Amino acid sequence: MTIQIDNISKSFGGARVLDSFSCVIPEGGVSCIMGPSGCGKSSLLNIIAGIAKPDSGAIGGLEGRRLAYAFQEPRLLPWKSVADNVDFVLDRSLNADERAERVRRSLELVEMSASADMMPSQLSGGMAQRVSLARALAADADILLLDEPFSAIDATLKWAIILRLKTLWAARGTTVVMVTHDEAEAAALDANMIRIESPALRPAGR
């Protein structure tokens, strides 16, 4: 089922960040939302997630589908360890062994297994970002929303993780919607590119 973005508009404090924006996000595979700073990329992701409401327009194709979100800022719970932060999003109907295995696999994907017992205050920015990504991966959602998920990660490690996740997502048929400023990331993921213009840059009358 495709995700249909239909004439979405959004303003903050009188400043228009999305202006009658429409697109179709295909089922499965990776779609990268790209555009200049302030054009509404993160706002669109928040609207898809249901965190923000559009001023007008609608989104279709989300009914009955599970979403997971890795924010640009990791938003880790400071009183929980790395492993417990990942476990926090898991369905409590899973037994303890199943949850532990899912946590282990998710941390392994982002090369954070050795840091499972560390606290967020002990992590670098790149490490925290990898834990945030692992937490979203662990949820095993139908739709995965990622906001600049690799921006703080060391370049060599970033490309290793990207290639690993590309294989995983293809095998699972996950629909991934990712905000990025890096066209090389989008190309490495064979992504469908969705470009948003800044409303301030649009020709008059458009």
Side-chain angles (χ1 to χ4, degrees), residues 155-167:
T156 301
L157 180 57
K158 175 179 80 169
W159 295 117
I161 293 172
I162 283 175
L163 293 177
R164 198 174 296 147
L165 294 182
K166 178 182 177 181
T167 300

Side-chain angles (χ1 to χ4, degrees), residues 48-169:
I48 295 171
I51 295 170
K53 291 185 178 180
D55 299 331
S56 59
I59 296 182
L62 299 178
E63 299 81 2
R65 306 178 76 185
R66 296 168 299 162
L67 277 69
Y69 196 160
F71 296 91
Q72 189 170 4
E73 295 298 325
R75 302 192 184 187
L76 302 180
L77 301 174
W79 60 89
K80 288 184 176 289
S81 69
V82 163
D84 286 343
N85 262 280
V86 177
D87 177 76
F88 182 74
V89 303
L90 298 182
D91 191 330
R92 295 297 109 175
S93 67
L94 297 172
N95 65 45
D97 288 343
E98 290 173 317
R99 295 202 312 273
E101 177 60 16
R102 191 171 292 187
V103 169
R104 185 196 66 77
R105 291 199 310 265
S106 299
L107 291 176
E108 187 175 62
L109 283 167
V110 298
E111 300 192 21
M112 284 295 291
S113 300
S115 305
D117 295 328
M118 293 176 68
M119 302 300 288
S121 61
Q122 298 174 292
L123 305 178
S124 68
M127 293 170 75
Q129 192 169 51
R130 282 187 278 155
V131 177
S132 176
L133 181 55
R135 185 170 58 184
L137 294 170
D140 196 22
D142 304 309
I143 299 170
L144 188 57
L145 307 176
L146 307 175
D147 194 350
E148 299 279 8
F150 309 112
S151 60
I153 301 175
D154 172 80
T156 301
L157 180 57
K158 175 179 80 169
W159 295 117
I161 293 172
I162 283 175
L163 293 177
R164 198 174 296 147
L165 294 182
K166 178 182 177 181
T167 300
L168 174 70
W169 292 333

Side-chain angles (χ1 to χ4, degrees), residues 1-5 25 27 44-51 58-67 142-145 175 177:
M1 184 187 302
T2 59
I3 302 172
Q4 299 170 333
I5 312 294
I25 298 172
E27 172 78 11
L44 179 60
L45 218 59
N46 287 338
I47 290 169
I48 295 171
I51 295 170
I59 296 182
L62 299 178
E63 299 81 2
R65 306 178 76 185
R66 296 168 299 162
L67 277 69
D142 304 309
I143 299 170
L144 188 57
L145 307 176
T175 299
V177 186

Side-chain angles (χ1 to χ4, degrees), residues 3-14:
I3 302 172
Q4 299 170 333
I5 312 294
D6 186 20
N7 288 311
I8 292 290
S9 293
K10 183 67 177 177
S11 298
F12 294 98

